[in-house]
Coordinates of all heavy atoms in Angstrom, one line a residue:
E99 N 13.6 -9.7 9.8 CA 12.9 -10.9 9.4 C 13.9 -11.8 8.7 O 13.9 -13.0 8.9 CB 11.8 -10.5 8.5 CG 11.0 -11.7 8.0 CD 9.9 -11.3 7.0 OE1 10.2 -11.1 5.8 OE2 8.7 -11.3 7.4
A100 N 14.8 -11.2 7.8 CA 15.8 -12.0 7.2 C 16.7 -12.7 8.2 O 17.0 -13.9 8.1 CB 16.6 -11.2 6.2
A101 N 17.2 -11.9 9.1 CA 18.1 -12.4 10.1 C 17.5 -13.5 11.0 O 18.2 -14.5 11.3 CB 18.6 -11.3 11.0
R102 N 16.3 -13.4 11.3 CA 15.6 -14.4 12.1 C 15.3 -15.6 11.3 O 15.4 -16.8 11.9 CB 14.3 -13.8 12.6 CG 14.4 -12.7 13.7 CD 14.5 -13.3 15.1 NE 13.2 -13.9 15.5 CZ 13.0 -14.6 16.6 NH1 14.0 -14.7 17.5 NH2 11.8 -15.1 16.9
T103 N 15.0 -15.5 10.1 CA 14.9 -16.7 9.2 C 16.2 -17.5 9.1 O 16.2 -18.7 9.2 CB 14.4 -16.3 7.8 OG1 13.2 -15.6 7.9 CG2 14.2 -17.5 6.9
L104 N 17.3 -16.7 9.0 CA 18.6 -17.4 9.0 C 18.9 -18.1 10.3 O 19.3 -19.2 10.3 CB 19.6 -16.4 8.6 CG 19.6 -15.7 7.2 CD1 20.6 -14.6 7.1 CD2 19.9 -16.8 6.2
A105 N 18.6 -17.4 11.4 CA 18.9 -17.9 12.7 C 18.1 -19.2 13.0 O 18.5 -20.1 13.6 CB 18.6 -16.9 13.8
F106 N 16.8 -19.2 12.5 CA 16.0 -20.4 12.7 C 16.6 -21.6 12.0 O 16.5 -22.7 12.5 CB 14.6 -20.1 12.0 CG 13.7 -21.3 12.1 CD1 13.0 -21.6 13.3 CD2 13.5 -22.1 11.0 CE1 12.1 -22.6 13.3 CE2 12.6 -23.2 11.0 CZ 11.9 -23.5 12.2
H107 N 17.4 -21.4 11.0 CA 18.1 -22.5 10.3 C 19.5 -22.6 10.7 O 20.3 -23.4 10.1 CB 18.0 -22.2 8.8 CG 16.6 -22.3 8.2 ND1 15.8 -21.2 8.1 CD2 16.0 -23.3 7.6 CE1 14.6 -21.6 7.6 NE2 14.7 -22.9 7.3
G108 N 19.9 -21.9 11.8 CA 21.2 -22.1 12.3 C 22.3 -21.4 11.6 O 23.5 -21.7 11.7
A109 N 21.9 -20.3 10.8 CA 22.9 -19.5 10.0 C 23.1 -18.2 10.7 O 22.1 -17.4 10.8 CB 22.5 -19.4 8.6
A110 N 24.3 -17.9 11.1 CA 24.6 -16.5 11.6 C 24.6 -15.5 10.6 O 24.8 -15.8 9.4 CB 25.9 -16.6 12.4
S111 N 24.4 -14.2 11.0 CA 24.5 -13.1 10.0 C 25.0 -11.9 10.7 O 24.9 -11.7 11.9 CB 23.1 -12.8 9.4 OG 22.2 -12.4 10.5
T112 N 25.7 -11.1 9.9 CA 26.1 -9.8 10.3 C 25.1 -8.7 9.9 O 24.7 -8.7 8.7 CB 27.5 -9.4 9.7 OG1 28.5 -10.4 10.1 CG2 28.0 -8.1 10.1
M113 N 24.8 -7.8 10.7 CA 23.8 -6.8 10.3 C 24.4 -5.4 10.4 O 25.1 -5.0 11.3 CB 22.6 -6.8 11.3 CG 21.9 -8.2 11.3 SD 20.3 -8.2 12.2 CE 19.3 -7.4 10.9
I114 N 24.2 -4.6 9.3 CA 24.8 -3.3 9.2 C 23.6 -2.4 8.8 O 23.0 -2.6 7.7 CB 25.9 -3.2 8.1 CG1 27.1 -4.1 8.5 CG2 26.3 -1.8 7.8 CD1 28.2 -4.1 7.5
F115 N 23.3 -1.4 9.6 CA 22.1 -0.6 9.4 C 22.5 0.9 8.9 O 23.6 1.4 9.2 CB 21.4 -0.4 10.7 CG 20.7 -1.7 11.2 CD1 21.4 -2.5 12.2 CD2 19.5 -2.2 10.7 CE1 20.8 -3.7 12.6 CE2 19.0 -3.4 11.1 CZ 19.6 -4.1 12.1
D116 N 21.6 1.5 8.2 CA 21.6 2.9 7.9 C 22.8 3.4 7.1 O 23.5 4.3 7.5 CB 21.4 3.7 9.2 CG 20.9 5.1 9.0 OD1 20.4 5.4 7.9 OD2 21.1 5.9 9.9
V117 N 23.1 2.7 6.0 CA 24.3 3.1 5.2 C 23.8 3.4 3.8 O 24.5 3.1 2.8 CB 25.4 2.0 5.2 CG1 26.1 2.0 6.6 CG2 24.8 0.7 4.8
G118 N 22.6 4.1 3.7 CA 22.1 4.4 2.4 C 23.0 5.4 1.6 O 23.8 6.1 2.2
V119 N 22.8 5.5 0.3 CA 23.7 6.3 -0.5 C 23.5 7.8 -0.4 O 24.3 8.6 -0.9 CB 23.6 5.9 -2.0 CG1 23.9 4.4 -2.2 CG2 22.1 6.2 -2.5
A120 N 22.5 8.2 0.4 CA 22.4 9.7 0.6 C 23.6 10.2 1.4 O 23.9 11.4 1.4 CB 21.1 10.0 1.3
G121 N 24.2 9.3 2.2 CA 25.4 9.6 2.9 C 26.4 8.6 2.5 O 26.7 7.6 3.3
L122 N 26.9 8.7 1.3 CA 27.7 7.6 0.7 C 29.0 7.2 1.5 O 29.4 6.1 1.5 CB 28.2 8.0 -0.7 CG 28.8 6.9 -1.6 CD1 27.8 5.8 -1.8 CD2 29.1 7.5 -3.0
H123 N 29.5 8.2 2.2 CA 30.7 7.9 3.1 C 30.4 6.8 4.1 O 31.4 6.1 4.4 CB 31.1 9.2 3.8 CG 30.1 9.8 4.7 ND1 29.0 10.4 4.2 CD2 30.0 9.7 6.1 CE1 28.2 10.8 5.3 NE2 28.8 10.4 6.4
R124 N 29.2 6.7 4.6 CA 28.9 5.7 5.5 C 29.0 4.3 4.9 O 29.5 3.4 5.5 CB 27.4 5.9 6.0 CG 27.2 7.2 6.7 CD 25.7 7.3 7.1 NE 24.9 7.3 5.9 CZ 23.5 7.4 6.0 NH1 22.9 7.5 7.2 NH2 22.8 7.4 4.9
L125 N 28.5 4.2 3.7 CA 28.6 2.9 3.0 C 30.1 2.5 2.6 O 30.5 1.4 2.8 CB 27.8 2.9 1.7 CG 27.9 1.7 0.8 CD1 27.4 0.4 1.5 CD2 27.1 1.9 -0.5
I126 N 30.8 3.5 2.1 CA 32.2 3.3 1.7 C 33.0 2.8 2.9 O 33.9 1.9 2.7 CB 32.8 4.6 1.1 CG1 32.1 4.9 -0.2 CG2 34.3 4.4 0.9 CD1 32.5 6.2 -0.8
A127 N 32.8 3.3 4.1 CA 33.5 2.9 5.2 C 33.3 1.5 5.6 O 34.1 0.8 6.2 CB 33.2 3.8 6.4
R128 N 32.1 0.9 5.2 CA 31.7 -0.5 5.6 C 31.9 -1.5 4.5 O 31.7 -2.7 4.7 CB 30.3 -0.5 6.1 CG 29.9 0.5 7.2 CD 30.7 0.3 8.5 NE 30.4 -1.0 9.2 CZ 29.4 -1.1 10.0 NH1 28.6 -0.1 10.4 NH2 29.2 -2.3 10.7
L129 N 32.3 -1.0 3.3 CA 32.4 -1.9 2.2 C 33.4 -3.1 2.4 O 33.1 -4.2 2.0 CB 32.8 -1.2 0.9 CG 31.7 -0.6 0.1 CD1 32.2 0.2 -1.1 CD2 30.7 -1.7 -0.4
P130 N 34.6 -2.9 3.0 CA 35.5 -4.0 3.3 C 34.8 -5.1 4.2 O 35.0 -6.3 3.9 CB 36.7 -3.4 4.0 CG 36.7 -1.9 3.5 CD 35.2 -1.6 3.4
E131 N 34.1 -4.7 5.2 CA 33.4 -5.6 6.0 C 32.3 -6.3 5.3 O 32.1 -7.6 5.4 CB 32.8 -4.9 7.2 CG 32.0 -5.8 8.2 CD 31.4 -5.0 9.4 OE1 31.5 -3.8 9.4 OE2 30.8 -5.6 10.2
I132 N 31.5 -5.6 4.5 CA 30.4 -6.2 3.7 C 31.0 -7.2 2.7 O 30.5 -8.3 2.6 CB 29.7 -5.1 2.9 CG1 28.9 -4.2 3.9 CG2 28.7 -5.7 1.9 CD1 28.3 -3.0 3.3
S133 N 32.0 -6.9 2.0 CA 32.6 -7.7 0.9 C 33.2 -9.0 1.5 O 33.5 -9.9 0.7 CB 33.6 -7.0 0.1 OG 34.7 -6.6 0.9
A134 N 33.5 -9.1 2.8 CA 34.1 -10.3 3.4 C 33.1 -11.4 3.5 O 33.5 -12.5 3.9 CB 34.7 -9.9 4.8
H135 N 31.8 -11.2 3.2 CA 30.8 -12.2 3.3 C 30.5 -12.9 2.0 O 30.5 -12.2 1.0 CB 29.5 -11.6 3.9 CG 29.7 -11.1 5.3 ND1 30.3 -9.9 5.6 CD2 29.3 -11.6 6.5 CE1 30.3 -9.7 6.9 NE2 29.7 -10.7 7.5
R136 N 30.1 -14.1 2.0 CA 29.8 -14.9 0.8 C 28.5 -14.3 0.2 O 28.3 -14.3 -1.1 CB 29.6 -16.4 1.1 CG 30.9 -17.1 1.4 CD 30.6 -18.6 1.5 NE 31.8 -19.4 1.8 CZ 32.6 -19.9 0.8 NH1 32.3 -19.7 -0.4 NH2 33.6 -20.6 1.2
V137 N 27.5 -14.0 1.0 CA 26.2 -13.5 0.5 C 25.9 -12.2 1.2 O 26.1 -12.0 2.4 CB 25.1 -14.5 0.8 CG1 23.8 -14.0 0.3 CG2 25.4 -15.9 0.3
V138 N 25.3 -11.2 0.4 CA 24.9 -9.9 1.0 C 23.5 -9.7 0.6 O 23.0 -9.9 -0.5 CB 25.8 -8.8 0.4 CG1 25.3 -7.4 0.9 CG2 27.2 -9.0 0.7
I139 N 22.7 -9.5 1.7 CA 21.3 -9.1 1.5 C 21.1 -7.6 1.7 O 21.5 -7.1 2.7 CB 20.4 -9.9 2.5 CG1 20.4 -11.4 2.3 CG2 18.9 -9.4 2.4 CD1 19.7 -12.2 3.3
L140 N 20.6 -6.9 0.6 CA 20.5 -5.5 0.7 C 19.0 -5.1 0.8 O 18.2 -5.5 0.0 CB 21.1 -4.8 -0.6 CG 22.5 -5.1 -0.9 CD1 22.9 -4.6 -2.3 CD2 23.4 -4.5 0.2
V141 N 18.7 -4.3 1.9 CA 17.3 -4.0 2.2 C 17.2 -2.5 2.0 O 17.8 -1.7 2.8 CB 17.0 -4.4 3.6 CG1 15.5 -4.2 3.9 CG2 17.3 -5.9 3.9
A142 N 16.4 -2.1 1.1 CA 16.3 -0.6 0.8 C 14.9 -0.3 0.2 O 14.4 -1.0 -0.6 CB 17.4 -0.2 -0.2
G143 N 14.4 0.9 0.6 CA 13.2 1.4 0.1 C 13.5 2.7 -0.7 O 14.6 2.9 -1.2
M144 N 12.5 3.6 -0.8 CA 12.7 4.9 -1.5 C 13.2 4.6 -3.0 O 12.5 3.9 -3.7 CB 13.6 5.8 -0.8 CG 13.1 6.1 0.6 SD 11.6 7.1 0.7 CE 12.2 8.7 0.4
D145 N 14.4 5.1 -3.3 CA 14.9 4.9 -4.7 C 15.7 3.6 -4.8 O 16.1 3.2 -5.9 CB 15.7 6.0 -5.1 CG 16.9 6.3 -4.2 OD1 17.2 5.5 -3.3 OD2 17.6 7.4 -4.4
A146 N 16.0 2.9 -3.6 CA 16.7 1.7 -3.6 C 18.1 1.7 -4.3 O 18.5 0.7 -4.8 CB 15.9 0.5 -4.1
A147 N 18.7 2.8 -4.3 CA 20.0 3.0 -5.0 C 21.1 2.1 -4.4 O 22.1 1.8 -5.0 CB 20.4 4.4 -5.1
L148 N 20.9 1.8 -3.1 CA 21.9 1.0 -2.4 C 22.3 -0.3 -3.1 O 23.4 -0.7 -3.2 CB 21.4 0.7 -1.0 CG 22.4 -0.1 -0.1 CD1 23.6 0.6 0.3 CD2 21.6 -0.6 1.1
A149 N 21.2 -0.9 -3.7 CA 21.4 -2.2 -4.3 C 22.4 -2.1 -5.5 O 23.3 -3.0 -5.6 CB 20.1 -2.8 -4.8
S150 N 22.2 -1.2 -6.4 CA 23.1 -1.0 -7.5 C 24.5 -0.7 -7.1 O 25.5 -1.2 -7.7 CB 22.5 0.1 -8.5 OG 21.3 -0.3 -9.1
V151 N 24.6 0.2 -6.1 CA 26.0 0.6 -5.7 C 26.7 -0.6 -5.1 O 27.9 -0.9 -5.5 CB 25.9 1.8 -4.7 CG1 27.3 2.1 -4.1 CG2 25.3 3.0 -5.3
V152 N 26.1 -1.3 -4.2 CA 26.9 -2.4 -3.5 C 27.1 -3.5 -4.5 O 28.2 -4.1 -4.5 CB 26.1 -2.9 -2.3 CG1 26.8 -4.1 -1.7 CG2 26.0 -1.8 -1.2
A153 N 26.1 -3.9 -5.3 CA 26.3 -5.0 -6.2 C 27.4 -4.7 -7.3 O 27.9 -5.7 -7.8 CB 24.9 -5.3 -7.0
G154 N 27.7 -3.5 -7.5 CA 28.7 -3.1 -8.4 C 30.1 -3.1 -7.7 O 31.1 -2.8 -8.4
Q155 N 30.2 -3.3 -6.4 CA 31.4 -3.1 -5.7 C 31.9 -4.4 -5.0 O 33.1 -4.5 -4.6 CB 31.3 -2.1 -4.6 CG 31.0 -0.7 -5.1 CD 32.1 -0.1 -6.0 OE1 33.3 -0.3 -5.6 NE2 31.8 0.4 -7.1
V156 N 31.1 -5.4 -4.9 CA 31.5 -6.7 -4.2 C 31.3 -7.9 -5.1 O 30.4 -7.9 -6.0 CB 30.7 -6.8 -2.9 CG1 30.9 -5.6 -2.0 CG2 29.2 -7.1 -3.1
S157 N 32.1 -8.9 -4.8 CA 32.0 -10.1 -5.6 C 31.0 -11.2 -5.0 O 30.8 -12.2 -5.5 CB 33.4 -10.8 -5.8 OG 33.9 -11.1 -4.5
S158 N 30.5 -10.8 -3.8 CA 29.6 -11.7 -3.1 C 28.3 -11.9 -3.9 O 27.9 -11.1 -4.8 CB 29.2 -11.1 -1.8 OG 30.3 -10.7 -1.1
V159 N 27.5 -13.0 -3.6 CA 26.2 -13.1 -4.1 C 25.4 -12.0 -3.5 O 25.4 -11.8 -2.2 CB 25.6 -14.5 -3.7 CG1 24.1 -14.6 -4.0 CG2 26.3 -15.6 -4.5
V160 N 24.6 -11.2 -4.3 CA 23.9 -10.1 -3.7 C 22.4 -10.3 -4.0 O 22.0 -10.5 -5.1 CB 24.4 -8.8 -4.4 CG1 23.6 -7.6 -3.8 CG2 25.9 -8.6 -4.1
I161 N 21.6 -10.1 -2.9 CA 20.2 -10.3 -3.0 C 19.5 -9.0 -2.6 O 19.7 -8.5 -1.4 CB 19.7 -11.4 -2.1 CG1 20.4 -12.7 -2.4 CG2 18.2 -11.6 -2.2 CD1 20.4 -13.8 -1.3
G162 N 18.7 -8.4 -3.4 CA 18.1 -7.1 -3.1 C 16.7 -7.3 -2.6 O 15.9 -8.1 -3.1
V163 N 16.3 -6.6 -1.5 CA 15.0 -6.7 -0.9 C 14.4 -5.2 -1.0 O 14.8 -4.4 -0.1 CB 15.0 -7.2 0.5 CG1 13.5 -7.4 1.0 CG2 15.8 -8.4 0.7

Side-chain angles (χ1 to χ4, degrees):
E99 182 183 77
R102 289 273 293 177
T103 301
L104 295 171
F106 178 79
H107 292 87
S111 60
T112 300
M113 303 190 76
I114 297 177
F115 294 98
D116 201 18
V117 291
V119 299
L122 192 57
H123 60 286
R124 299 176 300 179
L125 175 61
I126 292 173
R128 305 300 293 272
L129 275 176
E131 181 181 1
I132 294 170
S133 64
H135 296 77
R136 289 185 179 271
V137 181
V138 178
I139 297 174
L140 300 174
V141 184
M144 303 293 282
D145 58 8
L148 178 70
S150 290
V151 173
V152 175
Q155 296 297 315
V156 304
S157 62
S158 314
V159 171
V160 180
I161 306 161
V163 188

